[in-house]
Amino acid sequence: MVDGPADGADTDTDTGAGTGTGAGTGTGTGTGTRERTPTRVTLRSDLRASTVDGLIALIVTGAVFALLYARIRSRASSTATVMPFMADDPGGFWMYFLSQAFGWSALLWAWGTVVLGLLLSGARPAWLRIPAPRLERLHRTTSLNTIALIVAHALFFAAELINHDTDSWYGSTWTAFVESFVPGGYASGTGRIAIPVGQAALYLAIPLGLLFYVRHRIGARAWRVMHRFVIVVYVLSVWHTLLYGTNVWYDGWFRTSVWLLQLPIAALFLARLLRPARRSQRLAAPGAHPGSKAGWSLRLTGRLLAAGTLAVLLAVLITGRDGGRAEPPADTSSTHNHD
């Protein structure tokens, strides 16, 4: 989802490698310090560093799978209302529940990645004691694992479609590929909107995340501009979940939890805009910066939108009107029940 240091980082070096300021850049002039060679962060090094975080993500995914499976067996999950045939034979649809579990852990890891990115790109809070280099490394590793979790979510969804398709193996594989990965290929119910939204999140997350590792080729300024669109990926992921997550279709604590998790994101995003790390991003008087009337208007609009989003989230949580369905639909059949 998001990779790399804060938006303010223009260098190609890992700040944890001793570059920048302070004791890590001694000149060797009798002070006893040694000069360090700047080390460029590579995809390979971050993949190695992401192992522990990835194992934790798999453990969380397994726990979520167990919870979803237990809820569908007891018919406590709203998935049993939407697709009752799954509750009749939960063992036959384990790949669907695993896909859901990967989707939930992907959303949780995306949430953590965005929070870390916002903490790094704005003014550092006084209470945040973790060194910036460590936060930056964690930001990158959670980003890589988020991409992996999203891909796993999509692959298991496609595998479930293949498993319950009575067509030939190549016919069912092609159909599952189109419905899972081709925008507009899924033509059933809510999925006509929700699936393309999820596909957009996937296809934006991969390049936006990996561009960090070639930012020295495209330029730091270009990378920073593209990096800001990561918040769009996160919004699409949440939208996809609320639209298509069968266990959050109806009012309840699952759906409320999704809305509740957005409060810190909105608050940090507003704080990031109100107290930007870069002087050029501050909301000075119109015309204070060269040719900046349009830029000033854009910065003001961004702050108003962030404040409005925070107000809407608070209103949703206070009133309880979060767009959830109040009662089961009359028809709970599924076009993918091929048995």
Side-chain angles (χ1 to χ4, degrees):
M1 296 285 289
V2 199
D3 280 305
D7 287 343
D10 290 331
T11 66
D12 290 335
T13 57
D14 183 353
T15 55
T19 59
T21 59
T25 55
T27 60
T29 56
T31 61
T33 58
R34 293 186 303 169
E35 186 175 353
R36 298 183 183 181
T37 303
T39 304
R40 175 174 292 165
V41 178
T42 64
L43 178 59
R44 180 179 297 179
S45 66
D46 277 350
L47 285 173
R48 287 197 298 266
S50 67
T51 303
V52 174
D53 181 70
L55 289 175
I56 295 173
L58 289 177
I59 293 172
V60 170
T61 301
V64 174
F65 171 77
L67 174 63
L68 295 176
Y69 193 87
R71 283 173 57 82
I72 193 69
R73 285 200 62 171
S74 64
R75 296 183 180 270
S77 171
S78 57
T79 300
T81 302
V82 181
M83 294 176 287
F85 56 87
M86 288 190 176
D88 296 334
D89 180 25
F93 294 91
W94 66 270
M95 283 189 288
Y96 179 80
F97 304 129
L98 189 55
S99 172
Q100 282 193 318
F102 272 112
W104 279 106
S105 56
L107 186 64
L108 182 59
W109 253 248
W111 181 89
T113 302
V114 172
V115 167
L116 289 169
L118 291 171
L119 288 173
L120 285 165
S121 62
R124 293 291 302 280
W127 51 264
L128 192 60
R129 303 296 184 183
I130 304 176
R134 186 176 298 175
L135 281 179
E136 290 172 2
R137 172 62 66 87
L138 185 59
H139 179 53
R140 297 194 304 270
T141 57
T142 55
S143 168
L144 293 173
N145 282 313
T146 298
I147 294 174
L149 292 168
I150 295 175
V151 171
H153 168 61
L155 287 175
F156 273 103
F157 180 78
E160 173 60 32
L161 296 181
I162 295 172
N163 189 44
H164 286 87
D165 197 327
T166 56
D167 199 356
S168 60
W169 69 266
Y170 51 86
S172 59
T173 300
W174 174 251
T175 300
F177 171 78
V178 171
E179 294 187 339
S180 302
F181 297 101
V182 178
Y186 195 98
S188 172
T190 309
R192 287 176 293 182
I193 298 175
I195 296 296
V197 169
Q199 291 165 342
L202 170 63
Y203 296 144
L204 283 174
I206 294 174
L208 288 176
L210 299 182
L211 276 174
F212 167 75
Y213 300 99
V214 294
R215 70 197 186 287
H216 58 285
R217 296 182 182 275
I218 64 176
R221 183 181 298 274
W223 172 75
R224 284 198 306 272
V225 171
M226 289 184 284
H227 190 68
R228 289 167 187 160
F229 283 95
V230 168
I231 195 67
V232 175
V233 176
Y234 180 72
V235 170
L236 290 172
S237 300
V238 174
W239 188 16
H240 169 73
T241 302
L242 292 173
L243 280 175
Y244 206 59
T246 51
N247 36 36
V248 293
W249 272 18
Y250 304 112
D251 296 328
W253 67 274
F254 257 47
R255 190 175 184 88
T256 302
S257 298
V258 174
W259 284 100
L260 189 62
L261 281 173
Q262 310 320 311
L263 276 177
I265 297 283
L268 285 171
F269 189 59
L270 180 59
R272 160 73 174 82
L273 293 177
L274 293 177
R275 296 182 59 201
R278 288 177 169 273
R279 185 183 301 272
S280 61
Q281 295 175 357
R282 296 174 188 172
L283 190 64
H289 302 291
S292 64
K293 279 193 175 181
W296 181 88
S297 299
L298 187 61
R299 288 190 292 273
L300 177 62
T301 302
R303 286 155 173 78
L304 292 175
L305 287 175
T309 300
L310 185 59
V312 168
L313 287 172
L314 288 171
V316 164
L317 293 172
I318 292 172
T319 63
R321 303 186 64 176
D322 58 6
R325 293 163 172 81
E327 59 185 19
D331 180 13
T332 58
S333 61
S334 170
T335 58
H336 289 286
N337 182 17
H338 298 296
D339 294 339

